Amino acid sequence: MNKKAILLVLFITAVGVWFILDFITIGPGLPPSESMPDWYVPKSITDSKQECTPFFPKISKFCSYGNYTRRTMLAVWYFDDDKKFLQSENELNEYLSEHGKISTLQLDISEEIDEEIKRLESKNVWRPTLGPKRFDATKYESEITSGYFLVYKNPFLESREDYFIVYYGTRESVNLSEQTPVLKKLIAKSYYMANEDGTVEGLKI
């Protein structure tokens, strides 16, 4: 009986350790890959679709897009693998270079984030914003759409491979400078960073 009891305790312990390690690796309460793009889609975007935007190539099978205002939109691509992310980033860069003008600039959304935090607090809602509020972004300008690309790396856990490419842009050819204040507010509403070691940056162009 003692041997059986010891074996049972060892088995239960092994299962418990396996469960804890699996929980740490996967992360608490995170959805499957196909639902991950919605993580960066604000609730104010009510017409979002779990499909890829027609404005850019399908660089991931996990994507969503929707309209923020009549002229502005958001598109999200998710990757759960570093190799696939790097390949898709290169593919997107090639497309952008061929169809428009790309450059790197710095965006500062400190004020917009502060406003968003106050808005959420008034509704007793909390959203982690541990990442930088000033960062490099990729500016894209074309005859069809213009806006900013951001890359969010490992926003949940350092042990997870999670990569998001998010485009905040216009739906038509407009003066991007005039739309930038609106797009910065959209970035603040979309922003999520629960891992203090995660990064926010532009595309590697």
Side-chain angles (χ1 to χ4, degrees):
M1 290 293 294
N2 289 336
K3 288 184 178 181
K4 289 183 178 180
I6 292 172
L7 288 174
L8 180 61
V9 169
L10 289 175
F11 174 76
I12 293 173
T13 302
V15 171
V17 170
W18 172 83
F19 177 80
I20 291 172
L21 291 176
D22 189 56
F23 179 80
I24 292 173
T25 302
I26 296 176
L30 292 177
S33 295
E34 54 267 23
S35 298
M36 289 296 270
D38 286 340
W39 210 278
Y40 281 89
V41 178
K43 291 182 179 179
S44 56
I45 296 182
T46 58
D47 65 344
S48 63
K49 302 177 182 179
Q50 283 193 330
E51 57 187 64
C52 291
T53 173
F55 288 93
F56 302 104
K58 186 177 180 180
I59 56 174
S60 173
K61 60 182 179 180
F62 310 122
C63 46
S64 293
Y65 80 97
N67 301 310
Y68 180 53
T69 68
R70 184 175 65 84
R71 288 189 172 183
T72 57
M73 66 171 184
L74 172 146
V76 185
W77 298 265
Y78 170 72
F79 309 88
D80 53 15
D81 175 78
D82 177 67
K83 185 177 179 180
K84 173 59 178 173
F85 163 71
L86 292 174
Q87 291 174 344
S88 298
E89 185 180 38
N90 289 333
E91 180 184 343
L92 179 59
N93 277 329
E94 290 179 4
Y95 175 89
L96 298 179
S97 297
E98 292 175 1
H99 293 81
K101 178 182 178 182
I102 56 175
S103 59
T104 300
L105 83 167
Q106 189 175 82
L107 288 180
D108 186 344
I109 62 167
S110 301
E111 292 184 7
E112 288 79 8
I113 283 287
D114 288 343
E115 291 177 4
E116 181 63 13
I117 290 174
K118 291 178 181 178
R119 185 186 72 83
L120 292 176
E121 287 178 345
S122 68
K123 297 183 177 182
N124 294 319
V125 178
W126 180 78
R127 186 177 177 89
T129 57
L130 297 180
K133 311 306 181 293
R134 183 184 295 108
F135 39 74
D136 286 342
T138 300
K139 180 180 179 181
Y140 176 67
E141 296 176 283
S142 75
E143 295 181 356
I144 299 175
T145 178
S146 297
Y148 303 102
F149 283 94
L150 290 180
V151 177
Y152 299 88
K153 295 183 179 180
N154 302 329
F156 308 112
L157 296 168
E158 187 178 359
S159 58
R160 282 180 57 103
E161 285 192 355
D162 293 298
Y163 307 92
F164 295 83
I165 295 177
V166 187
Y167 177 70
Y168 307 89
T170 65
R171 290 187 58 82
E172 52 193 55
S173 180
V174 298
N175 187 319
L176 182 56
S177 297
E178 292 180 355
Q179 293 298 316
T180 295
V182 177
L183 294 176
K184 288 173 67 175
K185 288 183 179 181
L186 175 56
I187 293 173
K189 288 180 180 292
S190 167
Y191 196 95
Y192 187 101
M193 184 62 66
N195 173 23
E196 60 183 1
D197 294 319
T199 61
V200 184
E201 58 191 32
L203 299 169
K204 298 296 184 184
I205 59 177

